[in-house]
Amino acid sequence: MSELVPGGNVPLPGGALAVRVPGPFDVSALVTDDSGKVRGDGDFVFYNQPTAPGARLRGDTLTLDPAGLRAGATRVTVVVSAAEPGTPLARLPAPTLHVTDPRGRPLARFAPPPARQETVLLLAEVYRRGGGWKLRALGQGYADGLAGLARDFGVDVVEDEPAPTPRPAPAQPSVTRPAPTLRVQPSVPTPSPTLLAQPSGPTAAPDADGFLALVNPARASAGSPPVSLDARLVSAARSHAAAMAAAGRLGGEGADGVSVHQRVTAAGYQYLAVGEHLVSGPRTSADLVAYCLRADRPRRTLQDPVFTHVGLAQARQGHTGDTYWTALWASPLTPGGLARTEAEVVDLTNRERARAGLRPLAVDPLLATAARGHSADMVARCFYSHTSPEGGQPWDRAAAAGSGRRTIGENIACGQRSPAEVVEGWMNSPGHRANILRPAFTHIGVGFSGGGPAGTYWTQLFGA
């Protein structure tokens, strides 16, 4: 059985599968094609409409037969909401997704991060990839209720008591930062390093619609410094907004397989920190900023003091007229900033060792070179593994960097946006925690690189 984290996926065997979410929840599903929109109201499976071709809802269990879905269907999004309408999910036990095959054998389990004000959670999606089907964990909160979510998927929803004034088209947030992923390489007895280049100075971009005049006062109110428009970020935002409009759906990756973070680095902006808003619905930049300030997570990104530059673009889909926005927030990679970031990972790691009564790890420049090279290599060649495409292992990389240490261990992670977040994730994982707290280790090297499909890649290399 696979234990999934947000963004994780697992291939599915042929035949039907059962998707169950026990507890005080309502399970529902939306059947769509690659556009992310339903073909009709019959594609919405919920307690008042429990069946559709290839899908049947009974109690807390949704049974799916991908081969039996209606023609053109390529995706089924599984949604969970409180059984008591309007109840924030934070007041309920955390929902857990259980996926089994027709014989009841477990295939996957997913426990999403704790919800906050959300009343609906996009829990997972079953999607077609090539000739097979996969399950992807989502964990995306949605505060607009089940009716609002259904509308954004294209379902016509009739309220019993319509609101007295028309409801504006809701902004549709997308959790586009790739969810943190962790892997561990156990210590065992015993590519060439890649150095990150410092980007050229920022290139100013025109602020035609007064975006900065809206954003910077909101940042000042939170004690954050102003940001400036950067032409490279604007170019990357324009490219990604156009890709979303062409596909007719929000997402961190376009139909061309290029992620929003890869567009940033391809535009020439090497970053130390990055954030994004991918939104559909607002008609103007003022509407976009207003939406971001209303919701907790988008507001934190807009007001994050670490960012120094921003890029904004929109694109409209010709068929529907929907507007797709991309706002990219970043701070540039500098040698000093990279050194501080990696040193903070070392410091936080040693704090955890101190709490366990262990000696601190000393920084080994050779291990740091190997760790930095591995993170940069994963970005450059779009892989995520302890094993390089040529078959190289952590101890091979340490030796290639000139290290003679006899015992090597490695932790890697991707998607985390800060040293605190990545160390916390490692400490919450038994395998990573074991490496961090291994008494025999005496030295450490840390490497960070921004870019690639996940946005950020981290490596800890331990030695003794």
Side-chain angles (χ1 to χ4, degrees):
M1 181 183 71
S2 297
E3 289 279 350
L4 297 178
V5 297
N9 63 75
V10 62
L12 296 171
L17 61 142
V19 178
R20 179 172 177 261
V21 185
F25 306 107
D26 283 331
V27 178
S28 52
L30 293 139
V31 181
T32 67
D33 55 22
D34 286 336
S35 73
K37 299 289 186 179
V38 299
R39 179 176 293 178
D41 293 353
D43 283 346
F44 185 24
V45 179
F46 67 118
Y47 51 85
N48 277 344
Q49 185 172 272
T51 61
R56 183 181 75 253
L57 178 64
R58 181 173 297 172
D60 61 6
T61 302
L62 175 71
T63 302
L64 292 175
D65 180 8
L69 296 172
R70 54 102 170 149
T74 59
R75 188 182 313 163
V76 179
T77 303
V78 179
V79 180
V80 66
S81 56
E84 185 65 31
T87 302
L89 293 173
R91 298 182 186 174
L92 303 176
T96 300
L97 178 79
H98 301 268
V99 182
T100 57
D101 68 10
R103 297 183 179 180
R105 292 176 298 192
L107 296 175
R109 179 181 179 275
F110 173 50
R116 297 185 180 181
Q117 76 275 16
E118 296 92 341
T119 57
V120 171
L121 193 64
L122 306 185
L123 199 56
E125 64 180 7
V126 175
Y127 65 100
R128 188 167 63 197
R129 179 58 55 89
W133 290 80
K134 288 187 172 184
L135 172 77
R136 178 187 289 121
L138 297 177
Q140 177 185 336
Y142 205 103
D144 200 23
L146 195 59
L149 177 143
R151 288 189 184 97
D152 282 350
F153 274 78
V155 179
D156 291 327
V157 178
V158 179
E159 306 275 2
D160 290 337
E161 296 181 7
T165 57
R167 190 176 74 128
Q172 184 184 17
S174 174
V175 180
T176 59
R177 97 185 226 190
T181 310
L182 307 171
R183 289 190 186 175
V184 59
Q185 175 71 37
S187 57
V188 298
T190 202
S192 56
T194 303
L195 297 180
L196 299 177
Q198 181 176 357
S200 58
T203 304
D207 187 13
D209 57 358
F211 181 63
L212 295 182
L214 300 167
V215 164
N216 282 330
R219 289 176 60 84
S221 69
S224 298
V227 292
S228 60
L229 283 168
D230 184 277
R232 295 163 297 180
L233 294 179
V234 171
S235 174
R238 187 178 296 121
S239 175
H240 196 71
M244 290 193 298
R249 61 184 175 89
L250 295 171
E253 182 179 291
D256 55 4
V258 180
S259 76
V260 65
H261 309 104
Q262 289 170 305
R263 298 185 202 280
V264 172
T265 54
Y269 194 107
Q270 300 294 323
Y271 57 80
L272 188 63
V274 69
E276 62 279 332
H277 292 124
L278 306 185
V279 182
S280 69
R283 298 300 179 187
T284 67
S285 59
D287 292 340
L288 174 67
V289 172
Y291 158 72
C292 291
L293 292 176
R294 284 196 303 270
D296 181 60
R297 183 156 45 194
R299 182 175 61 252
R300 290 201 306 269
T301 298
L302 188 150
Q303 295 180 332
D304 194 326
V306 73
F307 298 132
T308 57
H309 299 126
V310 67
L312 177 71
Q314 60 169 298
R316 183 166 294 181
Q317 188 188 38
H319 179 65
T320 65
D322 292 340
T323 303
Y324 291 82
W325 294 85
T326 299
L328 296 172
W329 309 79
S331 60
L333 179 67
T334 64
L338 178 62
R340 287 191 297 272
T341 295
E342 294 171 349
E344 187 174 350
V345 174
V346 173
D347 179 63
L348 291 169
T349 299
N350 279 333
R351 290 185 196 180
E352 297 295 343
R353 288 178 64 88
R355 292 190 184 100
L358 299 173
R359 289 179 138 186
L361 301 171
V363 173
D364 181 329
L366 299 178
L367 293 180
T369 296
R372 190 175 296 169
H374 188 54
S375 290
D377 192 31
M378 289 191 288
V379 167
R381 296 199 283 175
C382 300
F383 74 96
Y384 178 66
S385 175
H386 294 287
T387 305
S388 72
E390 296 80 19
Q393 298 293 334
W395 41 94
D396 299 322
R397 293 187 286 273
S403 174
R405 299 200 178 276
R406 300 173 63 183
T407 304
I408 295 292
E410 183 178 80
N411 287 344
I412 61 174
C414 66
Q416 295 82 356
R417 301 304 175 95
S418 70
E421 186 178 344
V422 73
V423 173
E424 180 183 8
W426 279 326
M427 288 300 294
N428 288 335
S429 168
H432 301 86
R433 182 186 179 94
N435 266 352
I436 288 173
L437 300 183
R438 179 166 180 170
F441 285 141
T442 57
H443 289 78
I444 186 174
V446 172
F448 165 85
S449 187
T456 59
Y457 291 77
W458 308 78
T459 301
Q460 282 182 315
L461 203 56
F462 304 93

